[in-house]
Amino acid sequence: KNEGFHIFKYYNASDALECIKTRDTLSLAILDVMLPDIDGFTLCQRIREQHLYPIIMLTAKIEDMDKITGLTLGADDYITKPFNPLELVARVKTQLRRYIRYNSSKVSLKETVTFDIKGLHLCKSSHKCTLNGKELTLTPIEFNILCYLCEHRGSVVPSEELFEAVWGEKYLDNNNTVMAHIARLREKLKEPPRKPKFIKTIWGVGYTIE
């Protein structure tokens, strides 16, 4: 509130979902993993069924698997308790800037850039992605990962390069963010785990679309 944001605060997932249903102007969600009725991961998944705005997960657990789970279900960022409130505010502002930039680019981009790969169609100007004619619901980050790989089709894109290009931040060692989002993308593309049709992993190097 001190930063000028309008806040809706709830102590359980049911009330939060009711707010989400009745308000169409929400810009970002901060979800605690530990909730009394529905856990934050499930709440994140429910939000992603209808909305693309950024989601930041809060948790007291520090295991990597929890972080990967949250990101795979559609979260954009993750912060572990205890944390400095200023850090949370900074992450909120970063996510909102990124979300606004991605969405404004849909209007400002005059040149229509499209990719067609094995039934997968991406239109950069409209920010739409279809697979065999059926539109996919991708978050802005998921779309930009896919778009970046398509722009570099045939080349292997290192995880570090992909992270810095899409997130606009310096890549740190042991960062599983890219891997988690790739897993989520493959799920939406209905990719077989062992023989993916689109996004292929080059172990120890990065990812490619051939």
Side-chain angles (χ1 to χ4, degrees):
K1 288 182 178 179
N2 290 341
E3 294 292 330
F5 294 112
H6 188 190
I7 308 298
F8 300 95
K9 183 178 179 181
Y10 301 97
Y11 294 92
N12 59 68
S14 299
D15 289 344
L17 284 171
E18 188 61 31
C19 171
I20 291 165
K21 290 178 182 178
T22 57
R23 299 183 183 275
D24 57 2
T25 57
L26 298 179
S27 302
L28 180 143
I30 302 173
L31 309 181
D32 198 333
V33 171
M34 303 302 291
L35 295 171
D37 47 359
I38 304 172
D39 67 80
F41 291 139
T42 302
L43 179 56
C44 174
Q45 204 168 17
R46 295 279 294 275
I47 292 174
R48 275 291 170 256
E49 291 173 358
Q50 299 290 333
H51 304 284
L52 299 177
Y53 50 71
I55 296 175
I56 298 176
M57 303 294 297
L58 307 180
T59 182
K61 298 180 179 180
I62 60 174
E63 289 84 354
D64 283 343
M65 189 51 66
D66 282 338
K67 180 173 183 178
I68 293 172
T69 299
L71 293 173
T72 301
L73 292 174
D76 298 279
D77 201 359
Y78 195 96
I79 187 167
T80 305
K81 304 174 189 174
F83 54 83
N84 187 323
L86 292 177
E87 180 185 358
L88 180 60
V89 170
R91 293 196 186 204
V92 165
K93 290 181 177 179
T94 296
Q95 290 298 329
L96 288 175
R97 281 198 305 270
R98 184 176 297 139
Y99 182 65
I100 292 170
R101 185 175 74 244
Y102 288 161
N103 282 275
S104 63
S105 68
K106 293 187 292 185
V107 178
S108 62
L109 188 62
K110 295 181 180 179
E111 182 181 1
T112 300
V113 180
T114 60
F115 302 97
D116 289 284
I117 303 172
K118 303 175 185 176
L120 178 67
H121 179 84
L122 281 86
C123 181
K124 197 168 182 178
S125 59
S126 65
H127 228 254
K128 286 187 177 181
C129 177
T130 60
L131 179 60
N132 298 323
K134 183 177 180 181
E135 186 170 349
L136 301 180
T137 302
L138 303 181
T139 66
I141 284 180
E142 290 167 351
F143 183 90
N144 281 276
I145 288 174
L146 198 55
C147 191
Y148 194 83
L149 290 174
C150 287
E151 287 173 345
H152 296 79
R153 183 180 179 184
S155 301
V156 180
V157 178
S159 297
E160 295 89 342
E161 177 185 336
L162 190 56
F163 180 86
E164 292 178 3
V166 173
W167 276 265
E169 300 172 8
K170 185 67 177 177
Y171 181 89
L172 301 176
D173 291 338
N174 301 319
N175 190 327
N176 293 312
T177 303
V178 173
M179 180 178 67
H181 280 83
I182 291 290
R184 179 66 173 168
L185 260 175
R186 283 174 170 161
E187 181 182 335
K188 292 185 176 182
L189 291 169
K190 304 187 186 304
E191 292 265 58
R194 295 186 179 277
K195 292 185 178 181
K197 180 180 178 181
F198 299 106
I199 304 174
K200 298 184 179 181
T201 301
I202 309 300
W203 294 108
V205 183
Y207 303 94
T208 185
I209 289 183
E210 298 178 347

